[in-house]
Amino acid sequence: MELGAQIIDINMGCPAKKVCNRLCGSALLQDESLVGRILEAVVKAAEPAGVPVTLKTRTGWNRENRNGVRVARIAEASGIAALAIHGRTRADFYEGEAEYETIRDIRAAVSIPVIANGDITHADKAREVMAFTGTVGVMVGRASHGSPWIFRDINGLLTTGRVPPPLPRAELRDIVLGHLQAIYAFHGEESGLRIARKHLGWYSRLLDAAPQARPHLMAAESTSLQFACASEYFDAWVGAGDGGRPIEQC
Ligand SMILES: Cc1cc2nc3c(=O)[nH]c(=O)nc-3n(C[C@H](O)[C@H](O)[C@H](O)COP(=O)(O)O)c2cc1C
């Protein structure tokens, strides 16, 4: 908060072994009284500054122990301002399909805002999941990789009832190149190059020439070479013109 945080979001959803072995992340779902003590302590510490504390968690530790509803009630009683629920248990990691029944039960059990998460892959799915669960919103993870305009699509559908028309190629190119520049500026040369490579792997799905482009984009050994290479491929793609919806959304 001293650094200017406007919200404190507690992560009790991470399934990683190195996190859970230290009884952090989703491992905490095994100890509900500890969950309560942590949440109460953080809420109490944040209260004087008026900073809301939110919680991100899963539906339970494993399918035999889906205690998401109890954890949500503990969170509400502890003064948590909003809940984001990933519709998988810790044991599920990121595998299988997210289930929304438990999110719906959690939503019905508490009166704080609940946000549904897991496998929201396109705007229609966001609307369907919100209608099924009764949540106030959705949270998107992996489907935004290489498709950050999914947020525009979802917001458009939820606010106007229609998915907005696809962005023209030139605008998509500008988003991609702008993202690369932001990555370089934030992470610097070495990490920037590596992190941008990952995003280019996803963005290159847009390109008609993806199979030829990918090895070149991955081989570039500096951010300036990588940027030049990406610009070349995306400029050519813009030059080839818009041919309907440019990407199969996720
Ligand atoms: C590689 C990877 C890293 C993640 N890191 C975080 C993280 O640091 N904090 C967090 O709250 N969730 C993290 N998540 C979980 C996502 O926020 C989200 O809950 C999960 O991917 C399910 O949503 P999705 O099906 O839309 O991807 C991560 C997910 C993945 C795949």
Side-chain angles (χ1 to χ4, degrees):
M1 289 187 298
E2 281 165 12
L3 293 170
Q6 294 168 301
I7 282 185
I8 304 289
D9 184 46
I10 301 179
N11 185 346
M12 291 190 190
C14 183
K17 265 205 189 103
K18 66 177 182 195
V19 171
C20 288
N21 284 345
R22 297 163 62 98
L23 200 56
C24 302
S26 57
L28 284 161
L29 296 174
Q30 297 170 106
D31 189 341
E32 292 172 17
S33 84
L34 182 56
V35 168
R37 293 204 301 281
I38 291 172
L39 300 184
E40 276 169 28
V42 179
V43 168
K44 195 168 159 208
E47 226 159 38
V51 172
V53 182
T54 57
L55 176 68
K56 162 108 181 288
T57 187
R58 290 181 173 240
T59 50
W61 172 249
N62 56 28
R63 292 183 186 194
E64 293 71 47
N65 296 282
R66 273 208 182 103
N67 57 345
V69 169
R70 282 203 306 274
V71 168
R73 288 203 174 108
I74 291 168
E76 181 172 44
S78 306
I80 288 295
L83 276 172
I85 308 290
H86 179 185
R88 290 187 176 87
T89 68
R90 189 273 175 174
D92 294 326
F93 279 82
Y94 299 97
E95 304 297 319
E97 283 181 24
E99 57 93 11
Y100 305 112
E101 284 80 5
T102 309
I103 299 180
R104 182 190 54 190
D105 295 345
I106 288 171
R107 159 68 193 87
V110 296
S111 34
I112 52 176
V114 177
I115 297 150
N117 170 238
D119 294 349
I120 308 291
T121 46
H122 51 270
D124 288 330
K125 178 95 182 261
R127 187 165 63 176
E128 284 161 23
V129 170
M130 282 174 67
F132 179 77
T133 57
T135 52
V136 292
V138 288
M139 183 179 279
V140 178
R142 289 164 294 178
S144 65
H145 293 160
S147 304
W149 33 86
I150 188 176
F151 301 107
R152 166 186 175 271
D153 289 354
I154 294 175
N155 278 330
L157 181 64
L158 296 181
T159 53
T160 69
R162 296 185 62 175
V163 178
L167 290 170
R169 286 188 177 196
E171 261 185 71
L172 297 176
R173 175 207 45 204
D174 293 348
I175 292 171
V176 172
L177 297 181
H179 189 186
L180 292 181
Q181 278 170 332
I183 291 171
Y184 303 151
F186 188 77
H187 292 285
E189 177 65 29
E190 207 177 310
S191 304
L193 178 68
R194 201 167 26 82
I195 292 166
R197 219 174 254 152
K198 187 174 66 177
H199 288 279
L200 278 170
W202 291 314
Y203 282 131
S204 63
R205 291 183 306 206
L206 284 168
L207 299 171
D208 312 312
Q212 299 93 298
R214 251 186 221 122
H216 292 143
L217 290 166
M218 296 304 131
E221 279 176 2
S222 69
T223 55
S224 57
L225 285 172
Q226 187 187 57
F227 189 80
C229 185
S231 303
E232 203 171 303
Y233 276 108
F234 277 90
D235 284 344
W237 177 69
V238 172
D242 283 297
R245 183 94 188 153
I247 182 174
E248 289 280 309
Q249 289 279 341
C250 311

